[in-house]
Structures are given as C-alpha cells and as structure tokens.
Amino acid sequence: MTKLIIDTDPGVDDAMAIFYAAAAPDIELLGLTSIFGNVTVEMATRNALRLVEAAGLDIPVAAGAPTPLVLPPFTPSFHVHGDEGFGDIPAVTPKGKAIDESAADFLCRMAREHKGELVVCPIGPLTNIAHAIQQDPEFATNVKRIVLMGGSYREGGNITPHAEANIYHDPHAAEVVFASGARVEMVGLDVTHRILCTAEDFAEMAATAPKLGGMLQDMSHFYLEFYKTVGKFDGCSLHDPAAVIACTHPEWFTAENVAIQVSCEEETSGATIDATDERRPTAVYVAVEADKVKARFMEQIAKLA
C-alpha cells in the first residue's frame, strides 16, 4: 500500500484523481491538502471536503496557502473548471470542516510520522509543498517521493508557450521544490497530453458507477466544452489522475533524470528547464503507455459503484 497525500485545487480532473485514489486497492489515502489554482483556496477546501464525503472517506482535509510565495494573487481558472470548480454543478456546503492544522503543518507532521513511506502528490500549484520544505528542513528527506502533476520538458506550455499552468501559477514555489533535494518526479504535459478521456468514457463512468461516475460525467460537460474552445475536440487530457497513477505504477511511464529549474523571469515564467547548478535530478516523465494508464483509471472508477 502506498501511503499518499494529495495536494489539490479541485477542479474537474482533481475530482477524477481523488475518486481514483479512493477506489485504488494499492493506495492508502491519508488526507488531502487544498491549494489555490483552479479555484480559490477557500473553494478548494470546500470542494475537497465535498469529494471526501461523496466518496465515503474518513480522512482529514487541511486548508492551504491562499496566495503564491512571491507573485500577487490571480484570478482562478473558472473558464476551465466552472464558477465553483465542478463544471456546471452548483456549490454544496459540506458537512465536515478542515482540520485546525495548516496544509504545511499537516504535511510536515505526516512526513515525520511516516518517514520514508509517505508519497505526496501535488496536482495544483506547489505553494504548500514549498512552505513545508521551508518550514521543516527534514521534510524533503522524510518524504519518500513527491510525484507532481505539472511542468513540461519538450511539449511546450498550456497557459503560455513556455509554461504549464500549475508551475506558472507559482514558479517560485516550484523552484523551491525542484531545488530541495527531495526525490521529485514530474508528470507533465509530455505524458498527460497523450492520455485522453472522451465524452463516451464519461458516459461509461456514469453507467458503471452511477453515483460518483455520474458526478464526474455531470462535471465533464463544461470541461469538455472548454477543451473544444482551444481546438481539442477528441476529449480532455487525463492530467491529475495520471500523476496519482504514477505514484503506484511508474513502470507504465518512461522517465529521464534531468536536473530541473524553474524560470521566474517574466517572459518565460514557469518554464521547467535544465538547471544551471548542481542539484538532485528530477525523474521527468517523457513517455507513457497511455492505454494501460487509462484502462487502470476506468477499471478503478467502475469499482465505485
């Protein structure tokens, strides 16, 4: 069992990733931490609690940072994920509340309690992870792996020509993470763009798992329409679920060990590029057995029936 914490800004594909983790028999989901990105951190916390309750999970949710390390606050990606984060689905106030610990405090504590075992999977901007690294000098060595959804090595960006959105939204935090000495694995656009989820796939999720799969299908309508506006008519990329699947099935991905640094220069801000200093290499995922990853995702979602 992989002991996992997902750092998340739910978000449609975040919901897909969290429901996958809830179903996967090889994942012990220890909690969620929320971060700004697709939505505000307040909305992300609310949405994370809603997903936990929908999936019947008894795990903590810790609220994270509201703004980037250095950059000013920005408007979340409502045009991608909808005004409340879940496409056209209206907001619902969850029954539960976030724990008293901040996301960084929770991450540091769990990394100490599960030293050498904890895998952290950030699927939003890396601000909470950077705060944990800055707060606890041992965090980077206490965690087993940081498997992040973000970045692009050869694929180009999806928010600027140079940058992937999660890295772009807090490049300074991403640079802290890549320079930390932690074992970092980058599940970026080089692989996530190769795995597509179609309208037919969402219909299958709803058929095999009417409650949670149906919830994902309801979210998907807005999300798929956004993809059409940027010229992608064959489905949405399986961004965040791919990162969670990489936590337990790295054998389905091909990685290159590359020392990565993040540009914080205005013109190329958020670009993940070859480092100019001596730092621990990142496992940069550059190829994927897309059929296996997608089949695994669909199989596990079907178990949520």
Side-chain angles (χ1 to χ4, degrees), residues 53 92 111:
E53 291 175 6
V92 170

Side-chain angles (χ1 to χ4, degrees), residues 9-299:
D9 57 338
V12 178
D13 57 334
D14 300 73
M16 296 165 71
I18 290 163
F19 284 171
Y20 170 84
D26 46 7
I27 290 175
E28 181 184 358
L29 190 58
L30 299 180
L32 304 179
T33 51
S34 65
I35 190 63
F36 64 88
N38 296 326
V39 290
T40 67
V41 73
E42 293 81 10
M43 296 166 73
T45 306
R46 177 202 67 197
N47 288 353
L49 288 163
R50 182 179 181 183
L51 294 173
V52 164
E53 291 175 6
L57 297 171
D58 183 18
I59 59 171
V61 173
T67 57
L69 284 188
V70 176
L71 297 179
F74 64 92
T75 302
S77 306
F78 296 128
H79 66 293
V80 180
H81 295 269
D83 289 344
E84 301 295 340
F86 291 159
D88 294 317
I89 298 180
V92 170
T93 301
K95 297 177 183 177
K97 296 183 181 298
I99 60 176
D100 290 337
E101 282 180 295
S102 70
D105 286 342
F106 176 69
L107 286 163
C108 290
R109 177 172 65 84
M110 296 302 283
R112 288 192 300 269
E113 291 181 5
H114 302 282
K115 184 175 181 178
E117 296 182 291
L118 180 66
V119 177
V120 177
C121 186
I123 53 178
L126 294 171
T127 317
N128 290 334
I129 316 305
H131 280 306
I133 289 166
Q134 293 173 333
Q135 184 171 308
D136 182 356
E138 296 182 351
F139 177 79
T141 53
N142 283 343
V143 294
K144 183 177 182 180
R145 298 154 67 204
I146 298 173
V147 183
L148 64 93
M149 191 283 120
S152 173
Y153 192 54
R154 299 190 180 101
E155 183 74 1
N158 65 352
I159 192 166
T160 74
H162 306 283
E164 181 276 329
N166 286 340
I167 306 299
Y168 179 81
H169 285 141
D170 196 343
H172 300 86
E175 172 61 7
V176 168
V177 174
F178 284 108
S180 68
R183 181 181 172 186
V184 178
E185 300 174 27
M186 187 174 98
V187 185
L189 302 182
D190 301 88
V191 292
T192 64
H193 275 175
R194 309 288 174 260
I195 317 165
L196 291 179
C197 199
T198 67
E200 291 74 20
D201 293 323
F202 283 106
E204 181 181 336
M205 293 178 216
T208 57
K211 179 186 174 186
L212 299 187
M215 186 177 180
L216 294 178
Q217 186 188 35
D218 290 343
M219 294 179 190
S220 74
H221 302 305
F222 185 98
Y223 196 49
L224 290 170
E225 284 301 313
F226 161 75
Y227 270 86
K228 290 179 183 178
T229 69
V230 294
K232 296 183 178 180
F233 296 93
D234 50 356
C236 61
S237 297
L238 209 66
H239 295 298
D240 294 345
V244 175
I245 291 170
C247 293
T248 53
H249 292 280
E251 70 275 10
W252 293 338
F253 299 81
T254 300
E256 294 180 7
N257 289 323
V258 183
I260 291 288
Q261 72 181 45
V262 180
S263 172
C264 297
E265 302 298 323
E266 184 172 347
E267 185 176 332
T268 58
S269 184
T272 42
I273 57 179
D274 293 287
T276 57
D277 59 7
E278 295 291 330
R279 59 178 63 183
R280 182 172 184 167
T282 293
V284 177
Y285 287 30
V286 294
V288 59
E289 295 184 68
D291 290 346
K292 289 184 179 179
V293 172
K294 182 175 174 178
R296 176 72 177 181
F297 174 76
M298 297 295 290
E299 288 165 3

